[in-house]
Amino acid sequence: MQDPSLLRLACFVTAFVGCALWEAYSPRKQLTQNKWFRWGNNFALVALNSVLLATLIPIAAFQSALIAEQNQWGLFNQISLPTPLVVILCVLLLDCAIYIQHLVFHRIPILWRLHRVHHADLDIDVTTGTRFHPIEMILSMLIKISLVMLLGVSALAVVIFEIVLNASAMFNHSNAKLPLAIDKVLRKWIVTPDMHRVHHSVIVKETHSNFGFFLSVWDRWFKTYRAQPQLGHDKVQIGVPEIQDGKEQRLDKMLRQPFIKQN
């Protein structure tokens, strides 16, 4: 299989443009901050992360899958199953692993300080789904590479999962209005914007709920599901209580947030 970088980029751009147009046409919640200031800094963080990952980690998940396949490493390289079944199982296992990783980053204080940069966005929209501290991104990539090699995830499954994960992260962070009847059906299986908005509430019990990125079933099965925010979607306050200064949305401030004691 050829390097899927262009395919992933095309899917990323398509998903971003689609979600951005959707939330511009039908916003769910009024923004409290300057949109272009936030977007500029969030995208600057994305650009920095891309450069650091390419520089510091010589192989990505796709390349690690090829290496595992060539050396017959990992579970699925040791057993004989139909390719479609292997791809489905790999995507499901990776999505469950992302759920567990997300929960762990909330539970362990030092990891929460990294992940808190994502939650410190004072509004939630399509760009929030791409906003993560570089150290968290590096740790996440190392975890993903380890899982791919341990499980023997196929290269095709890696590509599908990464496209689905990126698209779903932008979809469920979108500040877009989804008809309640459609939301009710979709959230039985996948994470919707209304479901994930609860996760970005400043109320602690809401922040530490709804950890899923793509499939919503993990939250239901592991009892971390919360249907709606206590104050409703119009009044829910986004962010974390200790970081409510708009200046903290600057790139330099985001980079240092994990290392500064917040009042």
Side-chain angles (χ1 to χ4, degrees):
M1 187 177 182
Q2 294 182 340
D3 190 320
S5 298
L6 288 179
L7 173 62
R8 287 190 309 220
L9 178 60
C11 292
F12 176 89
V13 172
T14 300
F16 176 81
V17 171
C19 290
L21 290 174
W22 179 31
E23 65 182 22
Y25 175 76
S26 183
R28 180 68 169 89
K29 180 174 168 56
Q30 185 175 356
L31 299 179
T32 65
Q33 308 296 308
N34 182 288
K35 177 178 178 178
W36 302 113
F37 176 77
R38 286 182 50 256
W39 276 35
N41 283 278
N42 285 353
F43 274 125
L45 185 57
V46 172
L48 176 62
N49 285 338
S50 298
V51 171
L52 288 175
L53 285 174
T55 303
L56 298 177
I57 303 181
I59 63 168
F62 175 77
Q63 286 78 19
S64 66
L66 294 179
I67 293 171
E69 183 178 358
Q70 291 168 1
N71 292 279
Q72 291 298 289
W73 294 340
L75 174 64
F76 289 107
N77 286 319
Q78 299 298 319
I79 58 179
S80 180
L81 291 173
T83 299
L85 178 59
V86 170
V87 169
I88 292 171
L89 289 174
C90 287
V91 170
L92 290 175
L93 287 171
L94 287 174
D95 193 58
C96 183
I98 290 293
Y99 165 87
I100 295 171
Q101 176 188 320
H102 193 181
L103 188 149
V104 169
F105 269 70
H106 274 248
R107 295 286 191 262
I108 298 177
I110 191 172
L111 296 178
W112 167 245
R113 290 173 74 91
L114 294 171
H115 185 62
R116 187 179 58 183
V117 173
H118 174 68
H119 280 264
D121 203 343
L122 297 178
D123 284 317
I124 179 173
D125 65 15
V126 62
T127 65
T128 311
T130 65
R131 167 185 161 140
F132 295 92
H133 194 276
I135 297 177
E136 179 178 4
M137 290 295 291
I138 291 169
L139 290 175
S140 296
M141 180 58 74
L142 293 175
I143 291 170
K144 188 190 301 182
I145 289 172
S146 299
L147 284 170
V148 166
M149 290 191 167
L150 180 65
L151 294 173
V153 176
S154 71
L156 176 60
V158 168
V159 174
I160 292 173
F161 175 71
E162 289 188 333
I163 290 173
V164 168
L165 184 65
N166 286 333
S168 61
M170 288 184 280
F171 167 74
N172 60 47
H173 284 88
S174 295
N175 180 38
K177 188 178 295 183
L178 190 66
L180 296 180
I182 297 177
D183 175 87
K184 183 178 180 180
V185 174
L186 285 182
R187 69 164 57 200
K188 291 180 180 179
W189 304 101
I190 66 173
V191 180
T192 64
D194 275 10
M195 177 180 165
H196 196 70
R197 193 173 297 105
V198 178
H199 181 72
H200 281 263
S201 165
V202 296
I203 299 175
V204 173
K205 65 182 180 181
E206 295 178 353
T207 305
H208 302 308
S209 68
N210 296 3
F211 295 102
F213 263 80
F214 173 46
L215 295 176
S216 64
V217 294
W218 313 122
D219 283 297
R220 296 178 187 277
W221 289 355
F222 297 116
K223 310 300 181 184
T224 55
Y225 174 71
R226 188 173 294 273
Q228 302 295 338
Q230 179 180 313
L231 300 178
H233 290 282
D234 292 333
K235 295 182 179 180
V236 62
Q237 184 179 355
I238 301 300
V240 290
E242 63 270 28
I243 305 175
Q244 289 293 310
D245 187 346
K247 294 179 181 178
E248 290 291 329
Q249 306 309 308
R250 281 183 3 211
L251 176 61
D252 61 320
K253 300 284 190 179
M254 288 190 279
L255 292 176
R256 73 175 191 171
Q257 279 173 13
F259 313 106
I260 301 297
K261 183 177 181 181
Q262 303 291 342
N263 294 326

